[in-house]
Each structure stands twice: as structure tokens, then as C-alpha cells.
Amino acid sequence: MPDNGKGQPGSSEKIVGILGGMGPEATIDLMQRILTNTPALDDADHIRCIVDNNPKIPSRVQAILEEGGENPGPCMAEMARGLQNCGADFIVIPCNTAHEYYSYVTEAVDIPVVHLIDLVVDQVISMNPEVTTVGILGSNTIVKTKIYTTTFQARGVKAIYPDPERQEELFQIICRVKRGETREKIRQEFREIGKHLAGKGVDTAILGCTELGIIAENMPITVVDAADVLAREVVAVAKNRKAPHIESVSLDKGLADR
């Protein structure tokens, strides 16, 4: 039987399902990074992606920061089932905040779901096993959910965020990127946030919002771009170089408390 490319025995690669739309530009950005990170001499060397770029997912910001916002978890679960039914062998979610609803996705499918937060934390620690503090550059939802704080704390590392006023500036920068603003002015504003973290003693920071990687250049501190880490994970898993990185530390986020 010919290779159907579906990641079954006898096939040479796995197919990634991208649960996207949070936001849509970040999803497209991930696809471009996958393309860039894939060693290829011809079209057929590239990775097959099944993508649901769905910007109609209920707002994570409203659900987490505002009272009464619709829970996006069930919609994400439905999308995950669709990706699996279309032939995906594993799923990635190119949105840091959306991992607050990771359990909805894993409960909905029988295929591995990469845990971006856990993956990025492991990457930072592997880069510097002696690290004790790390900066977090992300949306207000990342701050409120403490999703990075909890995961780093379990590994003995302290997460440091911008001061509240600067954090609000960062949140507005993210919102502006979602509206398509990516020119030098906003890039410089983002660099100023980086300088602020440097002033708090931060040497390395995570770009904990997939939009931030779009505008991060010439940063005054070392940054680990979650979107780039995810793209490299996709390539490695699809090319059968490693198993998908699923959640390895309990974040005490179960379906029961939703």
C-alpha cells in the first residue's frame, strides 16, 4: 500500500493539526516558521499541516478577565475533534493563553496535544540549568492565570513580570499587533518594555504571547520566542525525531473546576 502520509505504520512523517485563530495572524506566523525551519529541497519535503484557523473562538480575554465571558474550551474541543477526524497525528495550539483550556482539548481527542507552556519552560531550563529567575512578556491573561508562574515554580524558577503600568502598556501593544500594527514605532515601544524588565534584573524573558514574536527585534534582553519553540517542535515531531511534548507538570487545572 502506498504511503498515505497519515502517520500510520509505514508512513515517513506525522501530520500536525493546528488549532488556530487565536489570533489568526499568529497562526499564519507559526505556519511560516514551520516552513522556515523545515529542511527541504522540494515541495514534498515540507510538512503536511491540517489547519483550523478559527477567529470565532470565544474570547480568552473576556472569559478570563471579564465576568460572564463565554468559555472557549468547548469550542476548542470541537475543533480538536475535527482536526483528528481529518487525519492529524498530533495537535498544537499557537496561543499561550489558550493553554488555560488545554484539558478540554486533551479530553476531546485520542492523539497527543503539545503543551506549549511546558515545552517553553523546559527549553529555558535546558538552555541554562542554573537559571533562578526568568521574565515573562505576555498578555494580562497570562498574568492572571499564572500559567507560566505555576509551571516555572514547579521547577524552582521565579517568574518576573513587568510592573502593573508597564504590563498594561504591553497588553495594549499585543492588542495593536492583533489589529495589524507591526511597524517600527510599536517595535520600539516593545523594546522599552524589555528595558524595563532588564532594570528588574531579568537577563532572559519568554515571549509569552505569539503576537510578540512578530515585533520582537533588537531586544535589550535575551528572549525565548514561544512561537519559534513551537515551530521547531512541530518539525521535530513531524519528522519523527521526537515524541510530542505533552504536559508533564500538573497545573491543577481540571475540567471539574470549570
Side-chain angles (χ1 to χ4, degrees), residues 32-91:
Q32 181 60 56
R33 291 170 189 259
I34 292 170
L35 193 74
T36 300
N37 280 279
T38 302
L41 299 176
D42 195 7
D43 290 349
D45 295 327
H46 283 284
I47 291 164
R48 184 177 177 188
C49 303
I50 299 174
V51 184
D52 189 345
N53 194 6
N54 179 13
K56 307 304 182 184
I57 300 172
S59 169
R60 284 71 55 210
V61 172
Q62 291 179 10
I64 293 170
L65 300 182
E66 302 175 13
E67 294 293 333
E70 183 181 351
N71 183 348
C75 178
M76 291 171 60
E78 181 180 359
M79 291 169 64
R81 285 189 289 267
L83 291 169
Q84 177 176 269
N85 290 340
C86 286
D89 296 304
F90 68 103
I91 290 173

Side-chain angles (χ1 to χ4, degrees), residues 19-180:
L19 201 160
M22 303 174 283
E25 186 169 6
T27 301
I28 295 168
D29 178 66
L30 173 65
M31 294 174 67
Q32 181 60 56
R33 291 170 189 259
I34 292 170
L35 193 74
T36 300
N37 280 279
T38 302
L41 299 176
D42 195 7
D43 290 349
D45 295 327
H46 283 284
I47 291 164
R48 184 177 177 188
C49 303
I50 299 174
V51 184
D52 189 345
N53 194 6
N54 179 13
K56 307 304 182 184
I57 300 172
S59 169
R60 284 71 55 210
V61 172
Q62 291 179 10
I64 293 170
L65 300 182
E66 302 175 13
E67 294 293 333
E70 183 181 351
N71 183 348
C75 178
M76 291 171 60
E78 181 180 359
M79 291 169 64
R81 285 189 289 267
L83 291 169
Q84 177 176 269
N85 290 340
C86 286
D89 296 304
F90 68 103
I91 290 173
V92 297
I93 309 169
C95 173
N96 289 259
T97 297
H99 284 73
E100 177 75 357
Y101 307 95
Y102 176 82
S103 59
Y104 282 93
V105 178
T106 59
E107 289 286 333
V109 296
D110 300 317
I111 56 177
V113 182
V114 171
H115 196 284
L116 175 59
I117 309 301
D118 204 85
L119 174 67
V120 171
V121 169
D122 273 10
Q123 175 75 19
V124 170
I125 293 174
S126 68
M127 288 168 53
N128 180 9
E130 305 302 318
V131 66
T132 57
T133 60
V134 65
I136 309 294
L137 293 164
S139 75
N140 293 354
T141 55
I142 292 292
V143 178
K144 183 171 181 178
T145 60
K146 300 182 180 179
I147 194 166
Y148 271 111
T149 300
T150 304
T151 310
F152 269 118
Q153 189 174 39
R155 291 163 168 83
V157 178
K158 181 181 180 180
I160 298 176
Y161 296 84
D163 292 342
E165 182 178 344
R166 288 289 194 163
Q167 176 60 41
E168 185 57 34
E169 292 175 13
L170 178 59
F171 185 50
Q172 294 306 316
I173 286 172
I174 292 168
C175 292
R176 287 158 59 194
V177 174
K178 285 179 178 289
R179 293 194 294 266

